[in-house]
Amino acid sequence: MEYVTLNNGLKMPMVGFGVFRVPDKKECEESVYQAIKAGYRLIDTAAAYYNEDAVGAAVKRAIADGLCTREDLFITSKLWVQDMMDYESAQKGIEASLEKSGLEYFDLYLLHQACGDYFSAWRAMETAYQEGKLKAIGVSNFYPNILTNFCEVVKVKPVVNQVELHPYYTQEKALETMKYYDVIPEAWAPLGGGRYNPFEDEMLKGIAAKYNKSVGQVLLRWNVQRGVVVPKSTHVERIKENIDIFDFELNEEEMKQISSLDMGYSGSRAKHFEPDFVRMVLNNKIHD
């Protein structure tokens, strides 16, 4: 496993296991347990995934079975916008995540969207960070203009910005902005979120064949070589495959070829700039 060093000195694994779209508690717990058994140490969940409790159960089980210690793991969760309306609601949201997971702390905790009163929510996260409940704090879906304003204002700089990053949406400007503020980029939908069918692309298949790897492994490797952390949601049978990307390296020409697939914002499913999308996010309640 390769690691990146966050701007607060904490080390974060570059490849992890995500549990987006795994709401079934038993399935989620078992998949996280198997991921830890296979060598994953970064686990990515969120309040809006409805499975923080299952992740916590898998972590406790893995520790009890001697697969790892809590200190070996890097557990991430995220605060949903319903809990980002003021300082107090964010405090309650953070405590709810910790209580549901059964964990004493999260290694990383993110603002899930740039919606609501995210500055007040961030101050609550700063407090929890100072108290040791959150070992690091960051953001998600903060586009360059929003991240710039945010980093210029807040007291504690975010360590990570998790955004949509794959060959069909390379977000070079976003990466430049994150580098400027020493914020590590983290991907969601690193294979395109099922919208682009990279597995049928002849160029990608050719590169994969050269290294005796799958197209998925090539795409994950492409992001890692750009300095992007990659948590990948997957079925159990692909858990081992997705972590096995550190024994080859794409050359400069191959990196450019893969990046040439970029479709820009027009190809993105999540229309964060659109008013209707923002209204939908603000009205998407995960609890009453």
Side-chain angles (χ1 to χ4, degrees):
M1 179 59 63
E2 294 180 4
Y3 292 78
V4 290
T5 302
L6 306 179
N7 63 34
N8 69 345
L10 205 62
K11 291 189 180 298
M12 181 179 185
M14 290 207 72
V15 175
F17 187 77
V19 293
F20 177 53
R21 292 179 179 166
V22 192
D24 182 88
K25 306 296 185 184
K26 290 184 178 180
E27 179 187 355
C28 182
E29 180 183 340
E30 183 62 24
S31 63
V32 171
Y33 180 85
Q34 292 299 330
I36 294 172
K37 191 174 182 179
Y40 287 84
R41 293 298 177 258
L42 165 61
I43 308 296
D44 181 83
T45 184
Y49 298 172
Y50 299 98
N51 54 24
E52 289 171 312
D53 50 353
V55 169
V59 166
K60 289 183 179 179
R61 182 176 151 201
I63 293 171
D65 289 351
L67 299 180
C68 61
T69 65
R70 175 64 184 91
E71 292 71 28
D72 292 333
L73 300 174
F74 195 100
I75 312 299
T76 300
S77 194
K78 311 175 190 73
L79 185 70
W80 186 241
V81 296
Q82 189 179 347
D83 297 316
M84 292 166 53
M85 294 305 150
D86 52 38
Y87 183 90
E88 288 75 20
S89 68
Q91 278 189 313
K92 292 178 182 177
I94 295 165
E95 291 299 331
S97 283
L98 288 167
E99 184 177 348
K100 287 175 185 175
S101 70
L103 302 174
E104 292 184 3
Y105 65 90
F106 287 114
D107 299 273
L108 176 63
Y109 200 69
L110 309 177
L111 295 175
H112 205 148
Q113 301 277 352
C115 294
D117 185 0
Y118 52 86
F119 281 101
S120 291
W122 186 256
R123 286 194 289 274
M125 285 169 57
E126 288 178 332
T127 298
Y129 172 65
Q130 298 297 340
E131 292 172 347
K133 297 175 182 177
L134 311 175
K135 299 299 183 182
I137 52 178
V139 297
S140 180
N141 298 308
F142 275 46
Y143 281 77
N145 60 317
I146 296 174
L147 183 67
T148 297
N149 179 63
F150 193 77
C151 288
E152 293 287 347
V153 172
V154 297
K155 181 179 179 181
V156 178
K157 296 287 191 297
V159 298
V160 160
N161 184 18
Q162 186 176 23
V163 298
E164 184 177 0
L165 286 168
H166 49 74
Y168 303 94
Y169 195 31
T170 62
Q171 294 225 62
E172 300 298 337
K173 184 65 175 179
L175 294 183
E176 290 175 14
T177 304
M178 288 184 236
K179 185 175 181 180
Y180 182 89
Y181 289 105
D182 197 18
V183 175
I184 295 295
E186 183 176 13
W188 62 260
L191 303 187
R195 287 165 276 148
Y196 305 98
N197 202 14
F199 303 99
E200 299 303 319
D201 186 285
E202 293 301 324
M203 178 265 290
L204 294 175
K205 288 197 291 185
I207 293 174
K210 173 185 173 182
Y211 295 103
N212 195 28
K213 294 291 182 179
S214 70
V215 168
Q217 287 173 313
V218 167
L219 297 193
L220 295 177
R221 181 69 203 181
W222 169 82
N223 246 335
V224 165
Q225 284 186 213
R226 299 198 306 156
V228 176
V229 173
V230 185
K232 177 67 183 75
S233 302
T234 188
H235 296 294
V236 172
E237 61 268 20
R238 294 195 179 274
I239 286 176
K240 292 183 180 180
E241 176 183 307
N242 287 342
I243 204 172
D244 186 23
I245 63 169
F246 297 105
D247 57 352
F248 75 109
E249 185 172 345
L250 301 168
N251 62 40
E252 185 176 348
E253 179 59 30
E254 290 162 344
M255 291 290 291
K256 289 180 179 178
Q257 283 181 298
I258 296 171
S259 296
S260 72
L261 296 171
D262 184 36
M263 297 172 64
Y265 182 68
S266 63
S268 172
R269 176 190 61 188
K271 301 293 185 180
H272 290 89
F273 296 159
E274 303 299 328
D276 285 344
F277 179 87
V278 176
R279 283 188 284 268
M280 179 273 291
V281 168
L282 288 170
N283 290 317
N284 185 10
K285 301 186 184 305
I286 64 168
H287 55 73
D288 296 322

